[in-house]
Amino acid sequence: MPLRAAPRLARAQCYISQSTDPFANLALEDRLLRRSDPRAHILLLWRNRPCVVIGRNQNPWKECDLAALRARDVWLARRTSGGGAVYHDLGNTNYTVLMPRAEFSRDRCAQMVARALQNHADVPAHVTARHDVAVGGRKVSGSAFKLTTARAFHHGTMLIDADLARLHGCLRSPHAAAIEARGVDSVPSPVANLRDFSWSIDHAAFCDAVCREFAAAHGPVSPVHVDPAAEPVGPAAEPVGPAAEPVGPAAELDPDGADALAVDAEARARLAAWDWRYGQTPDFVHRLDGGYFSWATLSATIAVHRGHVASAVVAPPPDASAPPPHVRAALDGIAHLLPGARYDRADAAARLAPLRADRHAAELCDWILAALD
Amino acid sequence: MSAVSRSAQLPRLLARAAKLAAPAARLAAARAAARHISTARVGSSAMAGLRAGHVAAPVGGLARRYSAKSYPDHQVVGMPALSPTMTQGNVGQWQKSVGDRIVPGDVLVEIETDKAQMDFEFQEEGYLAQILAPTGTKDLGIDTPIAVVVEDAADVAAFADFTVDSAQSAAAKASSAPAAAAAAAAPSPAAPAQPAAAAAPAAADGSRIFASPLAKTLAREKGVDLAQVEGSGPRGRIVKADIELFVASAAAKAAPAAAAPAPVAAKAAAPAAATAAAAPAAAGVGFTDTPLTNMRKVIASRLTEAKSTIPHYYLQQNIAMDNVEKLRASLNTAANGAYKLSVNDFVIKAAASALRDVPEVNSSWQGEFIRQHHHADIAVAAATPAGLITPIVKTCDAKGLKAISADVRDLVTRARANKLKPEEFQGGSFTISNLGMYGITSFSAIINPPHAAILSVGSTEPRLVLDETAEKGFRSVATMSVQLSADHRVVDGAVGAQFLKAFKGYLENPLTLLL
């Protein structure tokens, strides 16, 4: 839906999303990137219900503890910009600044946010060498960037009062050492909440501070509250297929009105789909050691391509003896049945079901499935 | 490659050779010469030419190389510099698969660098023949090969076994050929280019050449070097048809070779080793090729631009340095370790004061206007192991000798350790280059654009001057020779002379620096 080319259209716009659905918010951000006035500077402020957001080229199995995510009802999302994995919850506010590609600068927006904290929230924030915002040596905000031909954005998190214990629990994967992955690794840093530095800071106060600083840089703006989606719909309950109607009319980006900025359900669904979140992982190899059974010692090497198993080779390690013949059949069975499965426990278990008749094979399957999330 | 595929290629090769026979040769030459900047392609029919590993200038993220094996006409795509500050990137998702058609503007692959996610849009038409850097490959320097693109969809299959090594080995072999060709290009283009190109495959091959007796006889008759001929028989055996084909294509190649080497070789020498990230220094008998570092490339381009576009003129002056020596000695004895002034500090201070007196020299040419600076930010040329760099001492007119001395010391130390910030060596309004410590008495430096002038300072030597007041009729004066290279667009001769006069005045009477 093209932007209405009204001459009175402000070059600076500010939106605050009312939705806490991470996929809807990411779809809204993408929509603004692709559809807004190429010369405009836009600030978008948003926050999500608990989720982990990984970078475009990251490996979710390596970056986060997927079992812990499921147990704590933390969703997984993949954004279109680069960088590392971050944890979002309602105590974390995200900001996105969209600008013309020619004016893209990694530091300028981070400095604007740091100034906002200094001037309007009385928090002594500064920008680090990695373009993050930190207070007293601890990171409070991480950044990432996306550039297209005409537009670019810088977006970042801001930990205001997030559950840091849950953050650490989610972002530590038990398989990190066992997975050899291409793609981008996160750079861990000690983090802190703004709450540690200010009693009164909260989501509304932070949004206000950033809007004011944005206005100081780009001209007066009045924040527009937008609602890209009605209810947060979990990733498991994806909207069904292409037959689903888009949610509401595709609203024009009208800064003067408080129109509901409804996002294409299809765009949201694409971001929530398994193929995007897991399937877009660069190729990796998961090595399982420690297969100590009473009847053999084994190790497994599972190669994963686009989130599906490409090959699964179970064999004794070089210094161990060859397995007995009846076990070899089980190994061959796994090597034959597993490729093609999605790299998750449910799908793999379904594929390996025929092998469960044999006692040894069942043990073997349990061991492999335990390593999958 | 199997014998079957070779013989299948033969009709196609013969057809192409026939096409490139004499009448068409001139057209091919014109086309090759016209497109050399971005597409210097030697036709694939000249298989021997392929072996020469002709390297053309990279454009943005592209570099063209031909492997020593007989791959069809192709283009090796390198990691693009998608932003001015990008030095390396990670390969993200490939948006095209091998065999896909590429239309100009299509996104070929996503690139991530320092947390920024960008799309690499390919600007030419073709088919993706091979992916050299799969999704997830990290930290590839600019120009590292990442893909192969061909013009014909039919050629895609030939690249199934093409690897990064094929691309790199061709570049390494090619770096010696264009280097020799560039040196020879000045005197006479055609003749040296051919032998230089011929030398490369002969050196590279080294293995026994299989040829049929008839082919050997024919080769001897025609004066053809068997090492240059591509064999189409089993196990690469050269047959009569190959010799005939080679003779036909060599005739065609002679014409384009004459036109192409002069412009291409000139460009090829420097960018040939643009695979600085990929290829190591190639050693040969009697020479070593070093890939260009970024610093070397920058020095080369800036100074070439300066020397060729700025109308330099030179004013020379001898300066009596006795008073400066005396003042320096006395200030240094009173220093007590707080500072140690060098002659160069006085030179800088005197230049700053002279710039204040003659502000026209403290200017820079901006194309549409001349910018006259209010402060003297003087760049001091420093030699580091990596190359020449000019850190800037800011507002020298407002600083005293002690501050200038401390700044210069700090900047040069950090320059040698490669720890300068960009604003510390970019900008400035005037440059001073001092080669006195190497015993150079006088030299004419090249202006650093966009400055308007550069002062070349030589060593101080005792000279005899006539002096009627002296007992012997002469005396020895410690004389330093300086040359001002000035940009005549900004600084006229008289203005430059006034500047030098003021500068000389300050140095011969250093106490006037206090004024």
Side-chain angles (χ1 to χ4, degrees), chain B residues 18 50 126 139 150 257 308 469 475 478 513:
Chain B
L50 273 180
D139 298 334
V150 293
S308 50
T469 62
R475 65 189 164 93
L513 288 171

Side-chain angles (χ1 to χ4, degrees), chain A residues 56-57 83 101 130 147, chain B residues 82 110 112-113 115 117 121:
Chain A
R56 170 68 179 96
N57 296 309
R101 167 77 188 254
R130 277 183 62 78
L147 294 91
Chain B
L82 292 173
E110 294 179 10
E112 180 169 343
T113 171
K115 300 193 283 190
Q117 179 69 21
E121 291 173 7

